[in-house]
Amino acid sequence: MKVGIVLLAMAGAWAAALQAAPAQQTARSVWDGVYTQEQAKRGAALYAEHCGSCHGGSLAGVESAPALTGVEFGSNWHGLTLGDLFERIRISMPPSGPSGVTPAQKADIVAHLMNTNKFPAGTTELEPKTEVLKGIKIEMKK
């Protein structure tokens, strides 16, 4: 009798795990409209002020600073998350003083990068939180 109860409990736990698994695997993508046009516009001004001198006005990269658009951006970031990108920017950009740009401003800059890379805008702004942005996958093609 005890074995039957244990097996029944295990079967119930296994069924619950199977039902929960798809929800955990479901992640948003940059194609889901994860930033707003207003946020990207703010980000464009911030990019020009804090990033353009190294990465170039067109995000094409300059000398040792990588491109933030096009094939180079895709080969560097495809398959990663916006959280990975945001965290890189948050802790190391601009090199002259990462703390001079707030996390909210850096989220705006990421929105500008998404807009420049032709990912669609939506109705909700990107949050300046790495753990939230880790749920948004960078996919270069839909």
Side-chain angles (χ1 to χ4, degrees):
M1 184 73 163
K2 269 187 169 177
V3 173
I5 293 172
V6 171
L7 288 176
L8 187 58
M10 288 174 59
W14 182 68
L18 283 178
Q19 288 177 346
Q24 293 170 353
Q25 292 173 358
T26 303
R28 295 186 308 162
S29 137
V30 291
W31 294 101
D32 294 331
V34 296
Y35 68 93
T36 67
Q37 281 296 329
E38 295 78 21
Q39 185 178 31
K41 185 176 179 181
R42 290 191 312 265
L46 290 163
Y47 175 88
E49 180 181 348
H50 298 286
C51 314
S53 63
C54 290
H55 292 279
S58 66
L59 288 78
V62 176
E63 295 180 21
S64 64
L68 299 173
T69 189
V71 174
E72 185 176 352
F73 177 80
S75 66
N76 288 334
W77 294 101
H78 177 76
L80 298 174
T81 69
L82 284 186
D84 299 321
L85 177 61
F86 177 77
E87 190 64 8
R88 169 78 60 86
I89 293 168
R90 188 186 71 75
I91 63 173
S92 64
M93 296 293 139
S96 60
S99 63
V101 182
T102 69
Q105 291 173 319
K106 290 178 181 188
D108 291 351
I109 291 168
V110 171
H112 171 59
L113 300 181
M114 295 300 97
N115 188 53
T116 302
N117 281 284
K118 307 278 189 255
F119 298 116
T123 58
T124 305
E125 292 194 353
L126 287 174
E127 291 187 55
K129 298 178 183 173
T130 302
E131 63 277 5
V132 173
L133 298 176
K134 284 270 189 189
I136 304 171
K137 190 171 184 178
I138 299 171
E139 298 173 322
M140 298 312 293
K141 292 186 180 191
K142 193 170 183 178

